[in-house]
Amino acid sequence: MAELPYMTFFVDAYTLDAGHLTEEEHGVYLRLLLLAWTMPGCRVPNDNQWLARRLSRPVDVIQNLYRPIIAEFWKTDGNWIWQKRQVEEFERAQKRGRIQSDNAKSRWQKEKGVCDGN
């Protein structure tokens, strides 16, 4: 299971950036985003065999259909590929989760007075 089971998705930014894609290309881009979200650091190996196995596609489909989308929207250091905005949103969501967790712990750790209840 992914570290964060939800992903922030900005429809307006996606539409502006990827509005020119075909329906098939939208599917490719979204599948890559979803796969990356479940991986440590929101990045996936820059390896056609690995991508083919994870995406249940033949290697030639990865090369011919996925690679143009990766080249247009993704960053690489040679070994890994990642989508810059997605990594930023992942880090923001992690930080928000840590803050909420700390706040909840703080509330529960406060001294509770004796209840003068019923």
Side-chain angles (χ1 to χ4, degrees):
M1 181 165 191
E3 181 180 341
L4 294 171
Y6 62 91
M7 181 175 76
T8 306
F9 187 80
F10 294 92
V11 176
D12 58 342
Y14 179 85
T15 303
L16 287 172
D17 293 343
H20 64 284
L21 298 178
T22 66
E23 287 183 26
E24 185 175 40
E25 291 169 331
H26 279 292
V28 166
Y29 190 23
L30 288 171
R31 287 197 70 195
L32 286 167
L33 287 171
L34 295 174
L35 175 62
W37 190 260
T38 65
M39 302 302 295
C42 260
R43 61 186 190 162
V44 296
N46 190 16
D47 175 37
N48 286 347
Q49 294 286 343
W50 189 92
L51 290 169
R53 179 143 174 85
R54 284 298 182 116
L55 296 166
S56 302
R57 297 288 179 264
V59 173
D60 64 316
V61 171
I62 298 299
Q63 186 60 42
N64 296 328
L65 188 58
Y66 282 71
R67 282 294 168 182
I69 300 299
I70 291 169
E72 184 173 353
F73 295 104
W74 295 69
K75 304 281 184 193
T76 184
D77 63 5
N79 295 323
W80 300 95
I81 57 174
W82 66 91
Q83 208 284 338
K84 182 181 169 190
R85 173 73 183 265
Q86 184 181 41
V87 171
E88 292 170 359
E89 293 304 323
F90 186 82
E91 290 169 354
R92 188 172 292 122
Q94 282 182 314
K95 182 179 178 183
R96 188 171 47 244
R98 282 191 300 271
I99 290 170
Q100 290 174 342
S101 176
D102 292 344
N103 289 344
K105 288 176 187 174
S106 173
R107 283 192 305 273
W108 282 101
Q109 290 174 352
K110 286 184 181 177
E111 279 291 322
K112 304 280 192 228
V114 176
C115 180
D116 294 333
N118 302 336

